[in-house]
């Protein structure tokens, strides 16, 4: 469902991505582990259609994200590191607004259903998001993607800054989405969270995918050792 | 697009500072409009009273020689246009009373500025001041962060990701702020039209004002939103739009105004008067001096009436001479004043061209023009006052010549019945439909800027600016 084939991307003299290849099927959660500047966000931006690769191609459900990004985006739900909602609007109003931008005009009950599914308690639906925690905003962000009926979820450092409980809830939510057939790419440097959430993990360093493995093959400790080894190399 | 606009408004009305500022603006505008109208009415009433007083004095003149009455003269008071209460234009610095008498064209005197306290010489608080400076500045503060905030919070990606084209987002944000500015404008115009006697002429002028201000607000909000979209952050966007605003409202008008005066200079008052005096006595171009003209006129009338001396004429030749001198003086005046009039029109025309670079210049020109307080309207008053002076003096000279007296009979008098029969001065401001050719360039410049910023947004706000 998510396909990245030998993409390269440079910014002036800096090679951000070097011949990166990824395949993520439906029902799969792929964790892209890497340090800051490793190329995770660049990869996501290429999949979002905000950046064009210098060579290779990236596609969502077979739709090229460079040449046909408008079409590809219809299937993508994107959750950035910080989901910044409109502070003067309530969670429900934010969701309603973002839905209307995609042309979807859901009723009040349906919107509440999306928020509930993402774990946002009923009391918070009608509170302005200026007082929301980061985890609550992430939930609304996922509800926006959910309401968009996304088949693919791209998450850029979603667990950064979340407390353990919120992180755990996020993992559970993503696993639920994957069980419903979504393909999820989660870029992160949180080894524990990636290990807890994903089915498959790729380690990216200096724009190169240096290691891929199934989560079932490694414990968190082993993953940490592998990661540190590659980073030091 | 409508969803974005509604969302922007929803956020604005939930912001307490915005609500307080809006209340402040509405109250300020209402107060300023009300004060302006009261001030205008009071001034107008005072002028009407003075005009009536002058007429009463004229009607009750004691029996006197018509030529003496020509020196007694009359006064023309420049009436305030109803919309002077919105934009005073040049009215505060030009005079408002002109003495009309024989032999001489006096200058209009007693400007507001010359009689005011020094602090009010800088202009009265009229709604145009708020509409031209304060509200656009507030619109800038609302618009400069409209897209850069979305960028800085990374919300822009989410928005674009929901399938909104960048250009549509920029237009929608810009329009939502423009609607706010236009609402304040419409509120002002509504209050204005409620508090004055609005006829179709006032309605036409107000419609043109709404169009001009509305266009300017569109330009300023679109440009601020454009900078917000194109530049890296809020600081850059605010700096760029404020620099543009300062350039438009402070520097360019001064620089261009000075350049216009250098390109089309007016003669000094001294030079103007000296040239008039010279030509009146020595003849235009020095070829036809007054004594020679008088001699020719005398011969003409002696021949016409087949008599040998002025005393034998059945009319008073002094009246004929005075009218001839008057008409000659009028020719001299028309030549010199006409030349000044042409220079002033050229100056205005050249200043209006600056609208291609500076939409604020077009707005100011249009605002004054549509409120009937600009140089074109002032010159129209001067021309009508001068036309009346000529009618008045001709009536007196004709009476002197043909009223029954003989040449040299300076003791001959007419009573107030005659003076009452001379029509009084009344002035009506020109209709805007007849004056539109003067303001077409302002309208076109505002439209040109509107199209320019629209194309700038359409062509230069693409996905590259999102990251």
């Amino acid at each position: 469902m998510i396909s990245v084939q030998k993409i390269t991307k440079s910014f002036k003299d800096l090679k951000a991505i070097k011949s990166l290849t990824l395949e993520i099927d439906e029902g799969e959660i792929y964790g892209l582990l890497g340090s800051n500047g490793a190329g995770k966000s660049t990869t996501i931006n290429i999949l979002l259609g905000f950046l064009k690769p210098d060579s290779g191609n990236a596609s969502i459900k077979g739709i090229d994200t460079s040449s046909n990004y408008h079409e590809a985006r219809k299937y993508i739900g994107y959750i950035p590191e910080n989901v910044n909602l409109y502070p003067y609007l309530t969670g429900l109003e934010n969701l309603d607004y973002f839905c209307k931008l995609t042309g979807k005009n859901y009723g009040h009950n349906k919107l509440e259903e999306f928020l509930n599914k993402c774990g946002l308690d009923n009391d918070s639906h009608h509170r302005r998001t200026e007082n929301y925690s980061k985890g609550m905003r992430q939930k609304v962000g996922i509800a926006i993607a959910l309401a968009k009926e996304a088949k693919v979820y791209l998450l850029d450092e979603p667990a950064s800054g979340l407390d353990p409980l919120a992180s755990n809830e996020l993992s559970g939510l993503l696993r639920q989405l994957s069980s419903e057939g979504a393909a999820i790419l989660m870029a992160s440097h949180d080894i524990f969270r990636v290990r807890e959430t994903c089915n498959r993990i790729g380690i990216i360093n200096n724009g190169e995918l240096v290691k891929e493995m199934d989560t079932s093959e490694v414990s968190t400790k082993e993953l940490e050792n592998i990661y540190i080894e590659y980073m030091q190399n | 697009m409508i969803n974005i606009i509604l969302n922007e408004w929803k956020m604005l009305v939930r912001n307490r500072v915005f609500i307080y500022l809006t209340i402040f603006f509405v109250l300020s505008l209402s107060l300023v409009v009300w004060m302006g109208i009261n001030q205008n009415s009071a001034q107008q009433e005072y002028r009407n009273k003075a005009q009536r007083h002058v007429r009463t004095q004229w009607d009750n003149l004691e029996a006197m020689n018509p030529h003496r009455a020509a020196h007694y003269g009359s006064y023309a008071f420049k009436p305030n246009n109803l919309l002077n209460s919105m934009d005073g234009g040049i009215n505060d610095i030009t005079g408002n009373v002109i003495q009309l008498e024989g032999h001489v064209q006096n200058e209009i005197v007693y400007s507001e500025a010359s009689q005011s306290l020094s602090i009010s010489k800088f202009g009265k608080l009229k709604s145009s001041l708020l509409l031209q400076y304060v509200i656009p500045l507030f619109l800038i503060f609302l618009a400069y962060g409209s897209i850069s905030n979305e960028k800085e919070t990374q919300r822009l990606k989410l928005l674009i990701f929901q399938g909104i084209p960048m250009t549509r987002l920029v237009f929608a944000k810009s329009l939502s702020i423009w609607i706010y500015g236009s609402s304040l404008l419409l509120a002002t115009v509504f209050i204005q039209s409620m508090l004055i006697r609005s006829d179709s002429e006032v309605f036409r002028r107000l419609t043109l004002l709404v169009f001009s201000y509305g266009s300017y607000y569109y330009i300023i909000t679109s440009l601020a939103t454009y900078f917000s979209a194109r530049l890296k952050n809020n600081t850059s966007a605010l700096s760029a739009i404020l620099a543009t605003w300062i350039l438009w409202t402070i520097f360019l008008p001064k620089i261009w105004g000075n350049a216009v005066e250098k390109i089309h200079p007016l003669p000094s008052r001294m030079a103007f008067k000296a040239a008039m005096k010279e030509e009146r006595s020595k003849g235009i171009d020095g070829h036809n001096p007054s004594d020679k003209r008088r001699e020719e006129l005398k011969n003409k009338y002696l021949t016409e009436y087949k008599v040998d001396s002025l005393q034998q004429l059945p009319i008073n030749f002094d009246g004929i001479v005075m009218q001839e001198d008057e008409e000659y003086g009028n020719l001299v005046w028309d030549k010199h004043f006409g030349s000044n009039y042409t220079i002033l029109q050229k100056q205005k025309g050249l200043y209006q061209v600056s609208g291609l670079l500076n939409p604020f210049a077009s707005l100011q020109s249009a605002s004054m023009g549509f409120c009937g307080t600009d140089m074109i309207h002032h010159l129209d008053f001067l021309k009508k006052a001068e036309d009346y002076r000529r009618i008045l003096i001709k009536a007196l000279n004709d009476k002197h010549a043909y009223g029954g007296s003989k040449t040299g009979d300076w003791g001959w008098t007419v009573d107030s019945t005659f003076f009452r029969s001379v029509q009084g001065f009344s002035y009506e401001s020109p209709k805007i439909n007849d004056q539109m050719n003067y303001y077409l360039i302002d309208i076109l410049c505002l439209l040109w800027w509107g199209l320019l910023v629209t194309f700038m947004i359409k062509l230069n706000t693409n996905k590259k600016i999102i990251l």
Side-chain angles (χ1 to χ4, degrees), chain A residues 45 48 84-86 93 98, chain B residues 14 150 153 155 157 161:
Chain A
N45 278 327
L48 293 172
N84 277 303
L85 302 166
Y86 289 100
E93 285 171 336
F98 280 98
Chain B
R14 288 183 184 181
E150 303 285 19
T153 56
R155 207 162 40 217
K157 268 187 183 176
F161 214 71

Side-chain angles (χ1 to χ4, degrees), chain A residues 53-218:
Chain A
D54 300 333
S55 64
N57 62 68
S59 64
I60 301 289
K61 286 192 84 172
I63 302 160
D64 191 278
T65 60
S66 299
S67 58
N68 204 0
Y69 56 87
H70 280 305
E71 189 60 26
R73 282 176 187 169
K74 288 180 185 168
Y75 301 99
I76 305 174
Y78 167 62
I79 294 103
E81 181 178 350
N82 282 305
V83 178
N84 277 303
L85 302 166
Y86 289 100
Y88 290 114
L89 303 183
T90 65
L92 195 86
E93 285 171 336
N94 266 291
L95 176 59
D96 185 34
Y97 174 57
F98 280 98
C99 288
K100 278 177 177 159
L101 292 182
T102 59
K104 290 186 164 62
N105 204 352
Y106 293 113
H108 187 267
N109 291 343
K110 186 71 183 169
L111 292 170
E112 293 217 313
E113 202 178 295
F114 284 125
L115 291 174
N116 286 331
K117 188 174 179 183
C118 294
L120 193 73
D121 59 277
N122 273 317
D123 293 345
S124 306
H125 294 184
H126 301 285
R127 266 174 42 211
R128 286 191 189 179
T129 58
E130 59 193 338
N131 300 317
Y132 273 23
S133 67
K134 188 178 176 188
M136 290 162 84
R137 285 188 274 120
Q138 292 278 24
K139 285 170 185 173
V140 179
I142 296 171
I144 291 169
L146 205 63
K148 197 182 170 188
E149 295 169 342
K151 302 288 181 240
V152 166
Y153 288 78
L154 303 176
L155 297 93
D156 197 357
E157 305 282 4
S160 162
L162 291 187
D163 62 54
L165 180 65
S167 279
N168 191 47
E169 282 178 350
L170 177 71
S171 296
L173 185 57
L174 293 179
R175 280 196 296 269
Q176 189 193 334
L177 291 172
S178 79
S179 70
E180 289 167 7
I184 300 170
L185 171 64
M186 174 177 161
S188 177
H189 47 54
D190 183 341
I191 295 165
F192 177 76
R193 188 51 48 205
V194 167
R195 168 70 183 71
E196 286 298 299
T197 314
C198 304
N199 311 115
R200 214 144 54 93
I201 301 167
I203 297 175
I204 188 169
N205 190 23
N206 291 329
E208 259 181 303
L209 190 66
V210 290
K211 177 82 177 165
E212 263 192 317
M213 68 205 92
D214 282 342
T215 317
S216 56
E217 292 170 5
V218 286

